[in-house]
Amino acid sequence: MKQIKIGYIDTVHGECPHCNEETLLVAIVTDFYKCTLCGEETRQYVNGSIKYLKLDDRDKKFIQREKEIDEEELKEKDGKKER
Ligand SMILES: [Zn+2]
């Protein structure tokens, strides 16, 4: 199940592991969020409470792949590019 849809942005409030601030995090792909303060990407980790972790190389590759899949799906749906 995809979290990202056109015209809908999933945001959460949490503590960013990069800038250590309480900040607004924007979903980029499922379970991964981007800090609106420092722009770094984090992984949501749920274990009783919700934490946000820094990404390792595997996470980065996963995000890259997910983004590409999303873009391909959008192109197929729309048949045209917006912007
Ligand atoms: Zn941050």
Side-chain angles (χ1 to χ4, degrees):
M1 198 164 125
K2 301 264 180 209
Q3 280 190 331
I4 293 188
K5 293 178 186 119
I6 302 168
Y8 171 77
I9 299 170
D10 186 19
T11 58
V12 292
H13 214 255
E15 192 182 318
C16 171
H18 295 278
C19 57
N20 298 312
E21 297 284 343
E22 278 283 322
T23 180
L24 198 64
L25 300 151
V26 183
I28 41 177
V29 296
T30 306
D31 294 338
F32 291 89
Y33 292 81
K34 187 177 184 132
C35 175
T36 55
L37 210 62
C38 67
E40 291 291 336
E41 291 168 347
T42 73
R43 181 158 63 89
Q44 190 181 58
Y45 176 72
V46 182
N47 184 12
S49 62
I50 296 172
K51 280 181 182 172
Y52 294 92
L53 308 175
K54 292 179 184 178
L55 303 187
D56 58 27
D57 286 344
R58 250 172 100 184
D59 293 330
K60 285 174 188 168
K61 272 180 196 153
F62 177 79
I63 289 177
Q64 192 55 43
R65 185 72 200 119
E66 286 288 296
K67 279 180 180 170
E68 282 165 12
I69 292 169
D70 275 353
E71 278 164 21
E72 280 163 24
E73 282 178 358
L74 288 182
K75 271 179 207 162
E76 279 168 22
K77 254 183 229 162
D78 287 359
K80 61 173 183 180
K81 257 190 178 174
E82 288 191 26
R83 261 208 289 188

Coordinates of all heavy atoms in Angstrom, one line a residue:
M1 N 0.8 -1.2 0.0 CA 0.0 0.0 0.0 C 0.9 1.2 0.0 O 1.8 1.4 0.8 CB -0.9 0.0 1.2 CG -2.1 1.0 1.1 SD -3.3 0.6 2.4 CE -3.4 2.2 3.1
K2 N 0.5 2.2 -0.9 CA 1.3 3.4 -1.0 C 0.8 4.5 -0.1 O -0.5 4.6 0.0 CB 1.3 3.9 -2.5 CG 1.9 2.9 -3.4 CD 3.3 3.2 -3.7 CE 3.8 2.1 -4.7 NZ 5.2 1.8 -4.6
Q3 N 1.6 5.3 0.5 CA 1.2 6.4 1.3 C 1.1 7.7 0.4 O 0.3 8.6 0.8 CB 2.1 6.6 2.4 CG 1.9 5.7 3.6 CD 2.7 6.1 4.8 OE1 3.7 6.7 4.7 NE2 2.2 5.7 5.9
I4 N 1.9 7.7 -0.6 CA 1.9 9.0 -1.4 C 0.9 8.9 -2.5 O 0.8 8.0 -3.3 CB 3.3 9.2 -2.0 CG1 4.2 9.5 -0.8 CG2 3.3 10.4 -2.9 CD1 5.6 9.9 -1.2
K5 N 0.0 9.9 -2.5 CA -1.0 10.1 -3.5 C -1.0 11.5 -4.0 O -0.5 12.4 -3.3 CB -2.4 9.7 -3.0 CG -2.5 8.3 -2.6 CD -3.9 8.1 -2.0 CE -4.0 6.6 -1.4 NZ -4.2 6.6 0.0
I6 N -1.5 11.7 -5.2 CA -1.5 13.0 -5.8 C -2.4 13.9 -4.9 O -3.5 13.5 -4.6 CB -1.9 13.0 -7.2 CG1 -1.0 12.1 -8.0 CG2 -2.0 14.5 -7.8 CD1 -1.5 11.8 -9.4
G7 N -1.9 15.1 -4.6 CA -2.7 16.0 -3.8 C -2.9 15.7 -2.3 O -3.6 16.3 -1.6
Y8 N -2.1 14.7 -1.9 CA -2.1 14.3 -0.5 C -0.7 14.1 0.0 O 0.0 13.3 -0.5 CB -2.9 13.0 -0.4 CG -2.9 12.4 1.0 CD1 -3.7 13.0 2.0 CD2 -2.1 11.4 1.3 CE1 -3.6 12.4 3.3 CE2 -2.0 10.8 2.6 CZ -2.8 11.3 3.6 OH -2.7 10.8 4.8
I9 N -0.4 14.8 1.1 CA 0.9 14.7 1.7 C 0.8 14.3 3.1 O 0.1 14.9 3.9 CB 1.8 16.0 1.6 CG1 2.0 16.4 0.1 CG2 3.1 15.8 2.3 CD1 2.5 17.8 0.0
D10 N 1.4 13.1 3.4 CA 1.3 12.6 4.8 C 2.4 13.2 5.6 O 3.6 13.1 5.3 CB 1.5 11.1 4.7 CG 1.3 10.4 6.1 OD1 0.7 11.1 7.0 OD2 1.8 9.3 6.2
T11 N 2.1 13.9 6.7 CA 3.1 14.5 7.6 C 2.9 14.0 9.0 O 1.8 13.7 9.4 CB 3.0 16.1 7.6 OG1 1.7 16.5 8.0 CG2 3.3 16.6 6.2
V12 N 4.0 14.0 9.7 CA 3.9 13.6 11.1 C 4.8 14.5 11.9 O 5.7 15.2 11.4 CB 4.4 12.1 11.3 CG1 3.5 11.1 10.7 CG2 5.8 11.9 10.8
H13 N 4.6 14.5 13.2 CA 5.4 15.3 14.1 C 6.3 14.4 14.8 O 5.9 13.3 15.3 CB 4.5 16.0 15.1 CG 5.0 17.4 15.5 ND1 5.6 17.6 16.7 CD2 5.1 18.5 14.8 CE1 6.0 18.9 16.7 NE2 5.7 19.5 15.6
G14 N 7.6 14.7 14.9 CA 8.5 13.8 15.6 C 9.9 14.4 15.8 O 10.1 15.5 15.3
E15 N 10.8 13.7 16.4 CA 12.1 14.2 16.7 C 13.0 13.7 15.6 O 13.3 12.5 15.4 CB 12.6 13.8 18.1 CG 13.8 14.6 18.4 CD 14.4 14.2 19.8 OE1 13.6 14.0 20.7 OE2 15.6 14.0 19.9
C16 N 13.6 14.7 14.9 CA 14.5 14.3 13.8 C 15.9 13.9 14.4 O 16.4 14.6 15.2 CB 14.7 15.6 12.9 SG 16.0 15.4 11.7
P17 N 16.5 12.8 13.9 CA 17.7 12.3 14.4 C 18.9 13.1 13.9 O 20.0 12.9 14.4 CB 17.8 10.8 13.9 CG 17.0 10.8 12.7 CD 15.9 11.9 12.9
H18 N 18.7 13.9 12.9 CA 19.8 14.7 12.3 C 20.0 16.0 13.0 O 21.1 16.4 13.4 CB 19.5 14.9 10.8 CG 19.5 13.6 10.0 ND1 20.7 13.0 9.6 CD2 18.5 12.8 9.6 CE1 20.3 11.9 8.9 NE2 19.0 11.8 9.0
C19 N 18.9 16.7 13.2 CA 19.0 18.1 13.8 C 18.5 18.0 15.3 O 18.6 19.0 16.0 CB 18.3 19.1 13.0 SG 16.5 18.8 12.7
N20 N 18.0 16.9 15.7 CA 17.6 16.7 17.1 C 16.5 17.7 17.5 O 16.5 18.2 18.7 CB 18.7 16.7 18.1 CG 19.7 15.6 17.8 OD1 19.3 14.4 17.7 ND2 21.0 15.9 17.7
E21 N 15.7 18.1 16.6 CA 14.6 19.0 16.9 C 13.2 18.4 16.7 O 13.1 17.4 15.9 CB 14.7 20.2 15.9 CG 15.9 21.1 16.0 CD 15.9 22.0 17.2 OE1 14.8 22.2 17.8 OE2 17.0 22.4 17.6
E22 N 12.3 18.8 17.5 CA 10.9 18.4 17.3 C 10.5 19.1 16.0 O 10.5 20.3 15.9 CB 10.0 18.9 18.4 CG 10.1 18.0 19.6 CD 9.2 16.7 19.4 OE1 8.2 16.8 18.8 OE2 9.7 15.7 19.9
T23 N 10.1 18.3 15.0 CA 9.9 18.9 13.7 C 8.8 18.2 13.0 O 8.3 17.2 13.4 CB 11.2 18.9 12.9 OG1 10.9 19.5 11.6 CG2 11.7 17.5 12.6
L24 N 8.4 18.8 11.9 CA 7.4 18.2 11.0 C 8.1 17.3 10.0 O 9.1 17.8 9.3 CB 6.6 19.3 10.3 CG 5.3 18.9 9.7 CD1 4.3 18.4 10.8 CD2 4.7 20.0 8.9
L25 N 7.7 16.1 9.9 CA 8.3 15.2 8.9 C 7.3 14.8 7.8 O 6.2 14.6 8.1 CB 8.8 13.9 9.6 CG 9.8 14.1 10.7 CD1 9.7 13.1 11.8 CD2 11.2 14.2 10.2
V26 N 7.8 14.9 6.6 CA 6.9 14.6 5.4 C 7.2 13.3 4.8 O 8.4 12.9 4.6 CB 7.2 15.7 4.3 CG1 6.2 15.5 3.1 CG2 7.0 17.1 4.9
A27 N 6.2 12.5 4.6 CA 6.4 11.1 4.1 C 6.9 11.2 2.7 O 6.4 12.0 1.8 CB 5.1 10.4 4.1
I28 N 8.0 10.4 2.4 CA 8.5 10.4 1.0 C 8.1 9.1 0.4 O 7.5 9.1 -0.7 CB 10.0 10.6 0.9 CG1 10.7 9.9 2.0 CG2 10.3 12.1 1.0 CD1 12.2 10.0 1.9
V29 N 8.3 8.0 1.0 CA 7.7 6.7 0.7 C 7.3 6.0 2.0 O 7.6 6.5 3.0 CB 8.7 5.8 -0.1 CG1 9.1 6.5 -1.5 CG2 10.0 5.5 0.6
T30 N 6.7 4.9 1.9 CA 6.2 4.2 3.1 C 7.3 4.0 4.1 O 8.4 3.5 3.8 CB 5.6 2.8 2.7 OG1 4.7 3.0 1.7 CG2 5.0 2.1 3.9
D31 N 7.1 4.5 5.3 CA 8.0 4.4 6.5 C 9.2 5.3 6.4 O 10.0 5.3 7.4 CB 8.5 2.9 6.7 CG 7.4 2.0 7.0 OD1 6.3 2.4 7.6 OD2 7.5 0.8 6.8
F32 N 9.3 6.1 5.4 CA 10.4 7.0 5.3 C 9.9 8.4 5.2 O 9.0 8.8 4.5 CB 11.3 6.7 4.1 CG 12.0 5.4 4.2 CD1 11.5 4.2 3.8 CD2 13.3 5.4 4.8 CE1 12.2 3.0 4.0 CE2 14.0 4.2 5.0 CZ 13.4 3.0 4.5
Y33 N 10.6 9.3 6.0 CA 10.1 10.7 6.1 C 11.3 11.6 5.9 O 12.5 11.3 6.2 CB 9.5 10.9 7.5 CG 8.2 10.2 7.7 CD1 8.2 8.8 8.0 CD2 7.0 10.8 7.5 CE1 7.0 8.1 8.2 CE2 5.8 10.2 7.6 CZ 5.8 8.8 8.0 OH 4.6 8.2 8.1
K34 N 11.0 12.8 5.5 CA 12.0 13.9 5.3 C 11.7 15.0 6.3 O 10.6 15.5 6.4 CB 11.9 14.4 3.9 CG 13.0 15.3 3.5 CD 12.8 15.7 2.0 CE 14.0 16.6 1.6 NZ 14.6 16.1 0.3
C35 N 12.8 15.4 7.0 CA 12.7 16.5 7.9 C 12.5 17.8 7.2 O 13.2 18.1 6.3 CB 14.0 16.5 8.8 SG 14.0 17.9 9.9
T36 N 11.5 18.6 7.6 CA 11.2 19.9 7.0 C 12.2 20.9 7.4 O 12.3 22.0 6.9 CB 9.8 20.3 7.2 OG1 9.5 20.4 8.6 CG2 8.8 19.4 6.5
L37 N 12.9 20.6 8.5 CA 13.8 21.6 9.1 C 15.2 21.6 8.4 O 15.7 22.6 8.0 CB 13.9 21.4 10.6 CG 14.2 22.6 11.4 CD1 13.1 23.6 11.3 CD2 14.3 22.2 12.9
C38 N 15.8 20.4 8.4 CA 17.2 20.2 7.9 C 17.2 19.5 6.5 O 18.2 19.5 5.8 CB 18.1 19.5 8.9 SG 17.6 17.7 9.1
G39 N 16.0 18.9 6.1 CA 15.9 18.3 4.8 C 16.5 16.9 4.7 O 16.5 16.3 3.7
E40 N 16.9 16.4 5.8 CA 17.5 15.0 5.8 C 16.4 14.0 5.9 O 15.3 14.2 6.4 CB 18.4 14.8 7.1 CG 19.7 15.6 7.0 CD 20.6 15.1 6.0 OE1 20.6 13.9 5.6 OE2 21.5 15.9 5.5
E41 N 16.6 12.8 5.3 CA 15.7 11.7 5.3 C 15.8 10.8 6.5 O 17.0 10.5 6.9 CB 15.8 11.0 4.0 CG 15.3 11.8 2.8 CD 15.7 11.3 1.4 OE1 16.5 10.3 1.4 OE2 15.1 11.8 0.5
T42 N 14.7 10.3 7.0 CA 14.8 9.4 8.2 C 13.9 8.2 8.0 O 13.0 8.3 7.1 CB 14.3 10.2 9.5 OG1 12.9 10.3 9.4 CG2 15.0 11.5 9.6
R43 N 14.1 7.2 8.8 CA 13.2 6.0 8.7 C 12.4 6.0 10.0 O 13.0 6.1 11.1 CB 14.1 4.8 8.6 CG 13.3 3.5 8.5 CD 14.1 2.4 7.9 NE 15.3 2.0 8.6 CZ 15.3 1.1 9.6 NH1 14.2 0.5 9.9 NH2 16.4 0.8 10.3
Q44 N 11.1 5.7 9.8 CA 10.3 5.6 11.0 C 10.4 4.2 11.6 O 10.3 3.2 10.8 CB 8.8 5.8 10.6 CG 7.9 5.9 11.8 CD 6.4 6.1 11.4 OE1 5.9 5.4 10.7 NE2 5.9 7.2 11.8
Y45 N 10.7 4.1 12.9 CA 10.9 2.9 13.5 C 9.9 2.8 14.7 O 9.9 3.6 15.6 CB 12.3 2.8 14.0 CG 12.6 1.6 14.8 CD1 12.7 0.3 14.2 CD2 12.8 1.6 16.2 CE1 13.0 -0.8 14.9 CE2 13.1 0.5 16.9 CZ 13.2 -0.7 16.3 OH 13.5 -1.8 17.0
V46 N 9.0 1.8 14.6 CA 8.0 1.7 15.6 C 8.3 0.4 16.5 O 8.4 -0.7 16.0 CB 6.6 1.5 15.0 CG1 5.5 1.4 16.1 CG2 6.3 2.7 14.1
N47 N 8.4 0.7 17.8 CA 8.7 -0.4 18.7 C 8.1 0.1 20.1 O 8.9 0.5 20.9 CB 10.2 -0.7 18.8 CG 10.5 -1.9 19.7 OD1 9.5 -2.6 20.1 ND2 11.7 -2.1 20.0
G48 N 6.8 0.0 20.2 CA 6.2 0.6 21.4 C 6.0 2.0 21.2 O 4.8 2.5 21.3
S49 N 7.0 2.8 21.0 CA 6.9 4.2 20.6 C 7.6 4.4 19.3 O 8.3 3.5 18.7 CB 7.7 5.0 21.7 OG 9.0 4.7 21.7
I50 N 7.3 5.5 18.7 CA 7.8 5.8 17.3 C 9.1 6.6 17.4 O 9.2 7.6 18.2 CB 6.7 6.6 16.6 CG1 5.5 5.8 16.3 CG2 7.3 7.1 15.2 CD1 4.3 6.6 15.8
K51 N 10.1 6.1 16.7 CA 11.3 6.8 16.6 C 11.7 7.1 15.2 O 11.2 6.4 14.3 CB 12.4 5.9 17.2 CG 12.5 6.0 18.7 CD 13.6 5.1 19.3 CE 13.6 5.1 20.8 NZ 14.5 4.2 21.3
Y52 N 12.6 8.0 15.0 CA 13.1 8.3 13.6 C 14.6 8.1 13.6 O 15.3 8.6 14.4 CB 12.7 9.7 13.2 CG 11.2 9.8 13.1 CD1 10.4 10.2 14.2 CD2 10.5 9.4 11.9 CE1 9.0 10.2 14.1 CE2 9.1 9.4 11.9 CZ 8.4 9.8 12.9 OH 7.0 9.8 12.9
L53 N 15.0 7.3 12.6 CA 16.4 6.9 12.6 C 17.1 7.4 11.3 O 16.4 7.7 10.3 CB 16.5 5.3 12.5 CG 15.8 4.5 13.6 CD1 15.9 3.1 13.3 CD2 16.3 4.9 14.9
K54 N 18.4 7.6 11.4 CA 19.1 7.9 10.2 C 19.1 6.8 9.2 O 19.0 5.6 9.6 CB 20.6 8.3 10.6 CG 20.6 9.6 11.4 CD 22.1 9.9 11.8 CE 22.1 11.1 12.7 NZ 23.4 11.4 13.2
L55 N 19.3 7.1 8.0 CA 19.3 6.0 7.0 C 20.7 5.4 6.8 O 21.7 6.1 6.9 CB 18.9 6.6 5.6 CG 17.5 7.3 5.6 CD1 17.2 7.7 4.2 CD2 16.4 6.5 6.2
D56 N 20.6 4.1 6.5 CA 21.9 3.4 6.1 C 21.8 3.3 4.5 O 20.8 3.7 3.9 CB 22.1 2.1 6.8 CG 21.0 1.1 6.6 OD1 20.3 1.2 5.6 OD2 20.8 0.3 7.5
D57 N 22.8 2.7 4.0 CA 22.9 2.6 2.5 C 21.7 1.8 1.9 O 21.2 2.1 0.8 CB 24.2 2.0 2.0 CG 25.4 3.0 2.2 OD1 25.1 4.2 2.4 OD2 26.5 2.6 2.2
R58 N 21.3 0.8 2.6 CA 20.2 0.0 2.2 C 18.9 0.8 2.1 O 18.1 0.6 1.2 CB 20.0 -1.2 3.1 CG 20.4 -2.5 2.5 CD 20.4 -3.6 3.5 NE 19.2 -4.5 3.4 CZ 18.9 -5.4 4.3 NH1 19.8 -5.7 5.2 NH2 17.9 -6.1 4.1
D59 N 18.7 1.6 3.2 CA 17.5 2.4 3.2 C 17.5 3.4 2.0 O 16.5 3.6 1.4 CB 17.5 3.2 4.5 CG 17.3 2.3 5.7 OD1 16.6 1.3 5.6 OD2 17.7 2.7 6.8
K60 N 18.7 4.0 1.8 CA 18.8 4.9 0.7 C 18.4 4.3 -0.7 O 17.7 4.9 -1.5 CB 20.2 5.6 0.6 CG 20.4 6.6 1.8 CD 21.8 7.1 1.8 CE 22.0 7.9 3.1 NZ 23.4 8.2 3.3
K61 N 18.9 3.1 -0.9 CA 18.7 2.4 -2.1 C 17.2 2.1 -2.2 O 16.6 2.2 -3.3 CB 19.5 1.1 -2.2 CG 20.8 1.3 -2.8 CD 21.6 0.0 -2.9 CE 23.1 0.3 -3.1 NZ 24.0 -0.7 -2.5
F62 N 16.6 1.7 -1.1 CA 15.2 1.3 -1.1 C 14.3 2.5 -1.5 O 13.4 2.5 -2.3 CB 14.8 0.8 0.3 CG 13.3 0.5 0.5 CD1 12.8 -0.6 0.0 CD2 12.5 1.5 1.1 CE1 11.4 -0.9 0.1 CE2 11.1 1.2 1.2 CZ 10.6 0.0 0.7
I63 N 14.7 3.7 -0.9 CA 13.9 4.9 -1.2 C 14.1 5.3 -2.7 O 13.1 5.6 -3.3 CB 14.4 6.1 -0.3 CG1 14.0 5.9 1.1 CG2 13.9 7.4 -0.9 CD1 14.5 6.9 2.0
Q64 N 15.3 5.2 -3.2 CA 15.5 5.5 -4.6 C 14.6 4.7 -5.5 O 14.0 5.1 -6.4 CB 17.0 5.3 -4.9 CG 17.4 5.9 -6.2 CD 17.1 7.4 -6.4 OE1 17.3 8.1 -5.4 NE2 16.5 7.7 -7.5
R65 N 14.6 3.4 -5.2 CA 13.8 2.4 -6.0 C 12.3 2.7 -5.9 O 11.6 2.8 -6.9 CB 14.1 1.0 -5.5 CG 13.4 -0.1 -6.3 CD 14.1 -0.2 -7.7 NE 13.2 -0.9 -8.6 CZ 12.7 -0.4 -9.7 NH1 13.1 0.8 -10.1 NH2 11.8 -1.1 -10.4
E66 N 11.9 3.0 -4.7 CA 10.4 3.3 -4.4 C 10.0 4.6 -5.2 O 9.0 4.7 -5.8 CB 10.2 3.5 -3.0 CG 10.2 2.2 -2.2 CD 8.9 1.4 -2.5 OE1 7.8 1.8 -2.2 OE2 9.1 0.3 -3.0
K67 N 10.9 5.6 -5.2 CA 10.6 6.8 -5.9 C 10.5 6.6 -7.4 O 9.6 7.1 -8.0 CB 11.7 7.8 -5.6 CG 11.6 8.6 -4.3 CD 12.8 9.6 -4.2 CE 12.7 10.3 -2.9 NZ 14.0 11.1 -2.7
E68 N 11.4 5.8 -7.9 CA 11.3 5.5 -9.3 C 10.0 4.7 -9.7 O 9.4 5.0 -10.7 CB 12.5 4.6 -9.7 CG 13.8 5.4 -9.9 CD 15.1 4.6 -9.9 OE1 14.9 3.4 -10.1 OE2 16.1 5.2 -9.8
I69 N 9.6 3.8 -8.8 CA 8.4 3.1 -9.1 C 7.2 4.0 -9.1 O 6.3 4.0 -9.9 CB 8.2 2.0 -8.0 CG1 9.2 0.9 -8.2 CG2 6.8 1.4 -8.1 CD1 9.3 -0.2 -7.1
D70 N 7.2 4.9 -8.1 CA 6.1 5.9 -8.0 C 6.0 6.8 -9.2 O 5.0 7.1 -9.7 CB 6.4 6.8 -6.8 CG 5.8 6.2 -5.5 OD1 5.1 5.2 -5.6 OD2 6.0 6.8 -4.4
E71 N 7.2 7.2 -9.7 CA 7.2 8.1 -10.8 C 6.7 7.4 -12.1 O 6.0 8.0 -12.9 CB 8.7 8.6 -11.1 CG 9.0 9.8 -10.2 CD 10.5 10.1 -10.1 OE1 11.2 9.7 -11.0 OE2 10.9 10.8 -9.2
E72 N 7.1 6.1 -12.2 CA 6.6 5.4 -13.4 C 5.1 5.2 -13.3 O 4.4 5.3 -14.3 CB 7.3 4.0 -13.4 CG 8.7 4.0 -14.0 CD 9.5 2.8 -13.6 OE1 8.9 1.7 -13.3 OE2 10.7 2.9 -13.6
E73 N 4.6 4.9 -12.1 CA 3.2 4.7 -12.0 C 2.4 6.0 -12.3 O 1.3 6.0 -12.9 CB 2.8 4.3 -10.5 CG 3.1 2.8 -10.4 CD 2.8 2.3 -9.0 OE1 2.5 3.1 -8.1 OE2 3.0 1.1 -8.7
L74 N 2.9 7.1 -11.8 CA 2.3 8.4 -12.1 C 2.2 8.7 -13.6 O 1.2 9.2 -14.1 CB 3.0 9.6 -11.4 CG 2.9 9.6 -9.8 CD1 3.6 10.8 -9.3 CD2 1.4 9.7 -9.4
K75 N 3.4 8.5 -14.2 CA 3.4 8.7 -15.7 C 2.4 7.9 -16.4 O 1.7 8.3 -17.3 CB 4.8 8.4 -16.2 CG 5.8 9.6 -16.1 CD 7.1 9.2 -16.6 CE 8.2 10.0 -16.0 NZ 9.5 9.4 -16.1
E76 N 2.3 6.6 -16.0 CA 1.3 5.7 -16.6 C -0.1 6.2 -16.4 O -0.9 6.1 -17.3 CB 1.5 4.3 -16.1 CG 2.7 3.6 -16.8 CD 3.0 2.3 -16.1 OE1 2.2 1.7 -15.4 OE2 4.2 1.8 -16.2
K77 N -0.4 6.6 -15.2 CA -1.7 7.1 -14.9 C -2.1 8.4 -15.6 O -3.2 8.5 -16.2 CB -1.8 7.3 -13.4 CG -2.6 6.3 -12.6 CD -2.7 6.6 -11.2 CE -2.3 5.4 -10.3 NZ -2.0 5.8 -8.9
D78 N -1.2 9.3 -15.6 CA -1.5 10.6 -16.1 C -1.4 10.7 -17.7 O -2.2 11.3 -18.3 CB -0.6 11.7 -15.6 CG -0.9 12.0 -14.1 OD1 -1.9 11.4 -13.6 OD2 -0.3 12.9 -13.5
G79 N -0.4 10.0 -18.1 CA -0.1 10.1 -19.6 C 0.5 11.4 -19.9 O 0.7 11.8 -21.1
K80 N 0.7 12.3 -18.9 CA 1.3 13.6 -19.2 C 2.1 14.0 -17.9 O 1.8 13.5 -16.9 CB 0.2 14.6 -19.5 CG -0.8 14.8 -18.4 CD -1.7 15.9 -18.6 CE -2.7 16.1 -17.4 NZ -3.6 17.1 -17.6
K81 N 3.0 15.0 -18.1 CA 3.7 15.5 -17.0 C 3.1 16.8 -16.5 O 2.8 17.6 -17.3 CB 5.2 15.8 -17.5 CG 6.2 14.7 -17.1 CD 7.5 15.3 -17.4 CE 8.6 14.3 -17.0 NZ 9.9 14.8 -17.4
E82 N 3.1 16.8 -15.2 CA 2.6 18.1 -14.6 C 3.9 18.9 -14.2 O 4.7 18.4 -13.5 CB 1.7 17.9 -13.4 CG 0.4 17.3 -13.8 CD -0.6 17.3 -12.7 OE1 -0.5 18.1 -11.8 OE2 -1.5 16.5 -12.7
R83 N 3.9 20.1 -14.5 CA 5.0 21.0 -14.3 C 6.2 20.6 -15.1 O 6.8 19.6 -14.9 CB 5.4 21.1 -12.8 CG 4.8 22.3 -12.2 CD 5.7 22.7 -11.0 NE 5.6 21.7 -10.0 CZ 6.2 21.9 -8.8 NH1 6.9 22.9 -8.5 NH2 6.0 21.0 -7.8
Ligands
ZN1 ZN 16.1 17.5 10.9

